[in-house]
């Protein structure tokens, strides 16, 4: 179709999609393998996470380390390079030890709204589904 891919996004962890999440190491390997099978502009694709703190590009995951950089940042840290330990099961930026050094969690504006990231995997029992 002539469309040049630009971003591949890592699945944001939200309630109900845990079964679809892949480890960052696996995602990186899959994308790199796909890039090796294409030519030209297809190799320019960026592997990213759309995180609360900004758009984070995954440059590499090798030897237990994740090499990341802010492609866009809520705090204005565009291009900031981050090297973090990457446990085998890590599937999101928040799963990487030390990530909190690079961003500040925004204050909640209201207690009325609950982030999907704070929901349990299983739905809570309500009067309608008890």
């Amino acid at each position: 179709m002539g469309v040049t891919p630009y971003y591949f996004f890592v699945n944001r962890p939200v309630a109900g999609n845990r079964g679809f999440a892949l480890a960052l190491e696996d995602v990186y390997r899959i994308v790199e393998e796909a890039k090796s099978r294409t030519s030209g502009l297809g190799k320019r694709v960026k592997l990213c996470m759309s995180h609360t703190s900004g758009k984070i590009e995954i440059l590499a995951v090798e030897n237990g380390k994740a090499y990341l950089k802010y492609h866009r940042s809520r705090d204005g840290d565009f291009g900031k390079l981050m090297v973090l330990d990457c446990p085998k099961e890590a599937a999101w930026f928040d799963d990487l030890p030390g990530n909190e050094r690079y961003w500040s969690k925004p204050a909640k504006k209201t207690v009325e709204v609950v982030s999907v990231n704070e929901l349990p995997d299983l739905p809570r029992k309500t009067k309608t589904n008890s």
Side-chain angles (χ1 to χ4, degrees):
M1 299 187 85
V3 177
T4 302
Y6 194 67
Y7 291 120
F8 280 155
F9 280 98
V10 173
N11 190 34
R12 182 185 287 267
V14 295
N17 77 350
R18 184 178 303 266
F20 298 103
L22 295 173
L24 293 176
E25 185 175 18
D26 294 337
V27 172
Y28 176 73
R29 182 182 41 76
I30 290 166
V31 170
E32 288 301 308
E33 187 175 313
K35 286 167 55 176
S36 74
R37 295 178 181 204
T38 189
S39 62
L41 297 175
K43 293 185 181 291
R44 294 175 42 190
V45 69
K46 297 180 183 308
L47 176 59
C48 293
M49 289 182 270
S50 183
H51 187 259
T52 301
S53 63
K55 190 179 294 174
I56 300 171
E57 184 177 352
I58 301 168
L59 302 172
V61 178
E62 293 184 8
N63 301 319
K65 298 282 186 190
Y67 299 86
L68 315 165
K69 91 171 178 180
Y70 274 112
H71 192 55
R72 291 187 173 268
S73 168
R74 173 178 280 182
D75 297 332
D77 290 334
F78 303 103
K80 181 180 206 92
L81 180 66
M82 299 170 277
V83 180
L84 295 166
D85 288 335
C86 188
K88 290 272 186 202
E89 69 280 357
W92 192 245
F93 185 60
D94 295 356
D95 298 335
L96 302 174
N99 74 77
E100 58 281 339
R101 292 188 317 247
Y102 296 99
W103 70 290
S104 302
K105 190 173 184 177
K108 269 185 112 168
K109 295 181 181 175
T110 178
V111 294
E112 309 272 322
V113 177
V114 177
S115 166
V116 294
N117 294 324
E118 296 171 2
L119 292 174
D121 283 338
L122 299 173
R124 289 182 273 177
K125 292 204 183 252
T126 63
K127 290 179 184 175
T128 58
N129 70 2
S130 332

